[in-house]
Amino acid sequence: MRIFVNLYFLMVNESLSTKNKVLDILRNSSEYVSGELLSQKTGVSRVSVWKAVQVLQNAGYGIVSDRNGYFLQQDLKDSLFPWEFGISEGAFTHFVETESTMREARKIILSEEKKDLPKITVVTADRQTNGHGHGDHGWTTTKGSLACTLADKVSVSSAEAFRISMCAQIAAVNVLKKTGGRNFYARWPNDVWSDSGKVCGILDEYLSSGQRCEWVNIGIGINMYARPKIQNADKVFDSENAASRKDLLSSLCAEFLRVEKTALEDSCALENLWNSLCCDVGKKIILEQSGETFTFCGVNAYGWAVLESVDDGTKKIIPPGVNVFKK
């Protein structure tokens, strides 16, 4: 099954781009393909074929040409360029290097030239020079890792905006479980862990008007094949051939939209699902601001942590952003 079938509900274009078509033909040919034949198969002029080839070559695809036509001598492995996503191409923007995908996503949704954006706008990068985590923490994008931001056009009250981040966290856990073949867990407020350490971080940013949230930008970083040189970090896969970033991202987008649909229809479903995936429910934690010890009881429907005092059993509700740590 092709990737653009998996992302059908992100469809932006009614047909495949010339770049996608040309690349597909060359990938499935063991010999040179003439410009005339490419023109016939893609339904565009030879000049359009040539322009598409130029873009692909500049992007790093090893396409060579001679009097016999074009040949894909060396493919660009694990590419995240938009044309790799078929009819969903218009939803994707890719950078070989950028400061942060979150910043680029913000530019896109605030641009006066881009008013008719799709439900999800996806920004990816091979390398981030200034990736962000929560607070003043940075995010190191290891080689071959997935760094992206999903800009979600969604209408929810500002009070409910964090629920969209919970959807992304749940989606990441579900997809990593399926592709990684082992256990992964949600940890409050924004992490995904394996049994050995943190593999994914999620950063959220909201664009609101009045009491309504118009956009939720969700930055996602996944350590796919390498561990950052920080404490308690892990990677998802041991083999670099285990999964491609493109396939993982496609599955993540699909799962995010599925979970979000459920969350928007049933406020209790999201809370129950998140708590079922969390590895810390029932564990003792210390509230950093007071030094008090509580039992972590999970989250409520808005994603706020529900804590129970070990001393007197009183309950405390903590919003995302307040630091707690496990005892």
Side-chain angles (χ1 to χ4, degrees):
M1 181 178 292
R2 296 176 186 268
I3 294 300
F4 63 79
V5 175
N6 291 336
L7 291 178
Y8 181 77
F9 32 80
L10 277 184
M11 184 179 70
V12 176
N13 311 308
E14 294 183 357
S15 61
L16 300 172
S17 70
T18 301
K19 294 183 287 293
N20 177 281
K21 292 177 182 178
V22 167
L23 188 58
D24 185 60
I25 292 169
L26 295 180
R27 278 174 168 165
N28 288 283
S29 177
S30 58
E31 56 187 23
Y32 280 81
V33 183
S34 70
E36 183 178 356
L37 183 57
L38 284 173
S39 176
Q40 292 174 2
K41 287 189 173 183
T42 58
V44 299
S45 68
R46 292 184 64 175
V47 172
S48 295
V49 167
W50 177 81
K51 288 181 178 179
V53 170
Q54 290 291 302
V55 172
L56 293 170
Q57 289 174 328
N58 291 336
Y61 295 85
I63 301 175
V64 295
S65 60
D66 64 14
R67 60 186 179 83
N68 295 312
Y70 302 99
F71 179 71
L72 183 60
Q73 190 173 67
Q74 185 173 357
D75 205 348
L76 189 60
K77 294 183 178 180
D78 200 16
S79 168
L80 290 175
F81 284 104
W83 50 80
E84 295 280 2
F85 297 90
I87 54 177
S88 301
E89 178 176 338
F92 290 81
T93 300
H94 179 66
F95 295 89
V96 174
E97 179 178 292
T98 188
E99 186 173 342
S100 77
T101 59
M102 186 70 87
R103 178 166 295 187
E104 297 295 348
R106 189 186 314 132
K107 290 179 183 177
I108 290 173
I109 66 173
L110 293 177
S111 172
E112 289 294 329
E113 300 176 357
K114 297 187 176 182
K115 290 299 186 182
D116 297 323
L117 291 171
K119 161 64 176 168
I120 299 289
T121 298
V122 185
V123 180
T124 59
D126 293 325
R127 181 172 179 266
Q128 296 183 110
T129 59
N130 190 23
H132 295 288
H134 271 260
D136 58 355
H137 294 166
W139 180 266
T140 301
T141 305
T142 55
K143 184 178 179 181
S145 292
L146 178 61
C148 65
T149 292
L150 310 185
D152 183 19
K153 185 191 297 184
V154 62
S155 180
V156 295
S157 71
S158 298
E160 295 179 302
F162 187 71
R163 287 169 54 82
I164 307 303
S165 300
M166 292 169 64
C167 293
Q169 193 177 14
I170 291 168
V173 172
N174 290 342
V175 168
L176 292 181
K177 277 185 175 182
K178 184 176 181 180
T179 57
R182 58 194 176 107
N183 288 327
F184 293 91
Y185 312 95
R187 300 196 74 179
W188 191 81
N190 66 311
D191 294 340
V192 175
W193 282 54
S194 69
D195 289 318
S196 302
K198 181 177 176 178
V199 298
C200 171
I202 296 174
L203 178 68
D204 46 18
E205 178 181 83
Y206 311 129
L207 177 61
S208 301
S209 177
Q211 300 303 313
R212 300 297 296 179
C213 184
E214 300 173 355
W215 287 89
V216 177
N217 292 348
I218 304 168
I220 301 174
I222 300 177
N223 304 326
M224 291 187 65
Y225 305 113
R227 295 180 180 88
K229 295 180 180 179
I230 58 176
Q231 188 177 9
N232 297 323
D234 193 18
K235 59 182 179 178
V236 178
F237 305 107
D238 290 326
S239 169
E240 292 190 6
N241 296 320
S244 70
R245 293 179 302 165
K246 179 175 67 175
D247 289 343
L248 190 69
L249 178 57
S250 299
S251 298
L252 184 60
C253 290
E255 183 66 5
F256 169 73
L257 289 175
R258 187 192 69 81
V259 176
E260 185 187 60
K261 184 175 184 295
T262 299
L264 295 176
E265 292 174 350
D266 184 348
S267 61
C268 293
L270 186 67
E271 170 189 352
N272 295 334
L273 183 54
W274 192 97
N275 287 328
S276 72
L277 298 175
C278 179
C279 60
D280 292 325
V281 174
K283 292 183 179 179
K284 300 295 187 295
I285 62 99
I286 297 174
L287 191 60
E288 189 174 79
Q289 62 187 23
S290 66
E292 298 174 89
T293 301
F294 293 86
T295 299
F296 184 78
C297 303
V299 300
N300 64 14
Y302 296 96
W304 291 37
V306 180
L307 310 180
E308 183 178 277
S309 171
V310 297
D311 294 327
D312 56 18
T314 56
K315 293 288 182 70
K316 184 182 288 287
I317 310 297
I318 303 295
V322 176
N323 291 329
V324 299
F325 58 91
K326 188 175 64 174
K327 186 174 181 180

